[in-house]
Amino acid sequence: MSDMSIEHAPSAAAHGHAADPKAEARHIDNMKFAMWLYLASEVVIFTVLIAVFVVFRVNNPERVEEVHKASGLFLVGVNTFLLLTSSWTMVMGLLAIQKNDGKKLARWISATAILGTLFVMFQYVEYSTLAREGITLYGDVFGMRFYAPTAFHGAHVVVGILWAIYVVNGALKGKYNGGKYLGVEIFGLFWHFVDVVWIVLFTVIYLV
Amino acid sequence: MADEQKNPTPVPTPFDPQDAPESIKATQDQTVRETRDVPVEAVPTEKLDEVATAIKESEPADLREGRRATEETLNKPIEVIEDTVNAADMQDQAKAAHALPHVVPDTTTILGMTFPYPIYTVVYVVLAAITLIELVIGSLPRGIVGTAILLALSLSKAVMVVLFYMHLKEDSRIFAFALILPIFIALVSSIFLLTVPIKGY
């Protein structure tokens, strides 16, 4: 893959369109903007869920502190590092394909998928622990406010893992190269967004 | 115009474009405005066909001046369009250069120190360090100061990921609105909700 005869120098024309750099730039900008608009819709959903939790947190501080004691910080701390690291492997994968190394891209994004999978597994362990402590979806008013944002986020990680597998498959088939990697970039936007949401959830739900 | 309709045979070119006089050649790569500045008299007489020569010779000097003035007025809208197109073109070229792949270098220099890693790795180390600090503060007894520090650290982490990993630092700032606007509205909504009494009177 890395010894493909495609020019190393990033060429806009290699994105699969006619050799019109202006049209190509517009296409890339449009695709990225479309992704950002989609992320904006996600922001709306997540901020509503977080706002609901914050209002509950401010009005019921004792209940939230009880839950913090029950859950502990270890597992969620590990999960935070897993997701943070997966964001780093994601962006290193992008750097690899910008340098026209499809094999490295596949390796980095595989690491991203594995870290994401570990995150979801640990989230399952955490949910089980909390359930044993009596914190369930309908246990009390806290349950829904806690599980809705974290599970909705977990679902995004699952979608991200599937998307990562798709990107790895494309990378192994030589779909991307040093001048054509918009698909990797768009996936990166999604994955980093999921990371940003976790940064906020981690602080608001588990730390504060 | 009427002659052209009666006689559809192609109008002969007064000269071969490949073998055009220097005065014409010079205008070939110019804009409409620049080309218009070259008077028709600059074209050598022997290169013009009979009709053009006849028109040129029959046109008195004062009429010619009047025609020039009319043409100039009529050309104003063309000039406006030309300027607009040129400006848009320049912008597009700037944008195209802007959208070219931005590959970060393999080393990073911060405050005069050079690290043998790309900026992505440096950012990762900083994010991990902040997370460790957050975990330490989070395990301490909570107070208003601790909460404020935690929220500030969290915000700085989120901003770093968005700027460096999601490339908002180089990409269009319009993308930032997609994030900031809904967050702002949610903040205002939360403050509204917090003013609602939790129990009835």
Side-chain angles (χ1 to χ4, degrees), chain A residues 100-115:
Chain A
N100 203 26
D101 195 336
K103 265 184 195 155
K104 253 192 186 169
L105 167 71
R107 266 184 246 136
W108 282 117
I109 305 299
S110 300
T112 304
I114 291 166
L115 289 163

Side-chain angles (χ1 to χ4, degrees), chain A residues 72-85:
Chain A
L73 274 179
F74 177 72
L75 206 53
V76 77
V78 171
N79 252 357
T80 302
F81 274 103
L82 287 176
L83 216 54
L84 214 56
T85 311

Side-chain angles (χ1 to χ4, degrees), chain A:
Chain A
M1 190 114 26
S2 51
D3 57 346
M4 279 169 72
S5 59
I6 292 152
E7 284 293 311
H8 171 79
S11 99
H15 269 282
H17 288 256
D20 178 357
K22 274 186 279 179
E24 187 48 39
R26 263 196 299 276
H27 172 69
I28 292 175
D29 272 354
N30 287 348
M31 290 293 283
K32 278 196 200 168
F33 192 47
M35 191 61 201
W36 276 97
L37 284 180
Y38 165 70
L39 294 181
S41 74
E42 293 273 30
V43 172
V44 174
I45 303 171
F46 274 111
T47 45
V48 166
L49 292 171
I50 293 168
V52 167
F53 184 89
V54 167
V55 171
F56 180 81
R57 172 76 183 83
V58 171
N59 290 328
N60 304 272
E62 327 77 37
R63 178 66 187 133
V64 176
E65 268 152 39
E66 272 174 42
V67 175
H68 280 164
K69 280 198 186 100
S71 66
L73 274 179
F74 177 72
L75 206 53
V76 77
V78 171
N79 252 357
T80 302
F81 274 103
L82 287 176
L83 216 54
L84 214 56
T85 311
S86 77
S87 244
W88 173 66
T89 57
M90 170 70 237
V91 86
M92 291 305 280
L94 179 68
L95 189 59
I97 196 62
Q98 282 176 332
K99 292 177 178 176
N100 203 26
D101 195 336
K103 265 184 195 155
K104 253 192 186 169
L105 167 71
R107 266 184 246 136
W108 282 117
I109 305 299
S110 300
T112 304
I114 291 166
L115 289 163
T117 309
L118 284 173
F119 177 91
V120 176
M121 281 165 60
F122 282 136
Q123 198 171 34
Y124 175 77
V125 175
E126 184 207 356
Y127 281 5
S128 310
T129 314
L130 286 173
R132 272 196 297 277
E133 300 280 342
I135 299 156
T136 56
L137 201 53
Y138 297 115
D140 67 355
V141 282
F142 176 82
M144 184 61 95
R145 285 165 174 81
F146 166 81
Y147 285 111
T150 54
F152 191 58
H153 175 267
H156 280 75
V157 178
V158 172
V159 170
I161 294 164
L162 297 176
W163 198 341
I165 293 168
Y166 172 80
V167 172
V168 170
N169 186 42
L172 292 175
K173 284 182 179 163
K175 189 177 160 192
Y176 312 106
N177 62 53
K180 179 173 175 279
Y181 51 79
L182 184 61
V184 182
E185 229 179 334
I186 299 281
F187 166 59
L189 283 177
F190 178 80
W191 191 263
H192 297 309
F193 172 76
V194 172
D195 186 30
V196 169
V197 170
W198 182 254
I199 287 172
V200 177
L201 286 181
F202 172 61
T203 306
V204 171
I205 294 185
Y206 295 96
L207 290 181
V208 172

Side-chain angles (χ1 to χ4, degrees), chain A residues 57 65 69 73 207-208, chain B residues 135-147 150:
Chain A
R57 172 76 183 83
E65 268 152 39
K69 280 198 186 100
L73 274 179
L207 290 181
V208 172
Chain B
L135 281 168
V136 171
I137 298 175
S139 53
L140 297 173
R142 288 175 181 81
I144 190 92
V145 179
T147 303
L150 282 174

Side-chain angles (χ1 to χ4, degrees), chain B residues 80-135:
Chain B
V80 171
I81 293 168
E82 200 173 82
D83 286 346
T84 315
V85 170
N86 279 343
D89 219 38
M90 297 271 276
Q91 267 185 357
D92 271 7
Q93 277 169 8
K95 264 192 204 156
H98 190 72
L100 277 178
H102 176 89
V103 182
V104 299
D106 286 335
T107 59
T108 309
T109 306
I110 300 169
L111 302 170
M113 289 183 290
T114 303
F115 301 94
Y117 307 104
I119 182 78
Y120 298 146
T121 307
V122 176
V123 168
Y124 170 65
V125 172
V126 175
L127 289 172
I130 296 178
T131 307
L132 276 178
I133 296 170
E134 279 183 322
L135 281 168

Side-chain angles (χ1 to χ4, degrees), chain B residues 25-47:
Chain B
K25 263 188 188 162
T27 67
Q28 282 178 344
D29 294 325
Q30 293 173 348
T31 62
V32 172
R33 194 177 308 175
E34 288 162 341
T35 312
R36 205 199 55 232
D37 286 341
V38 178
V40 73
E41 293 80 19
V43 181
T45 313
E46 69 271 16
K47 297 285 183 185

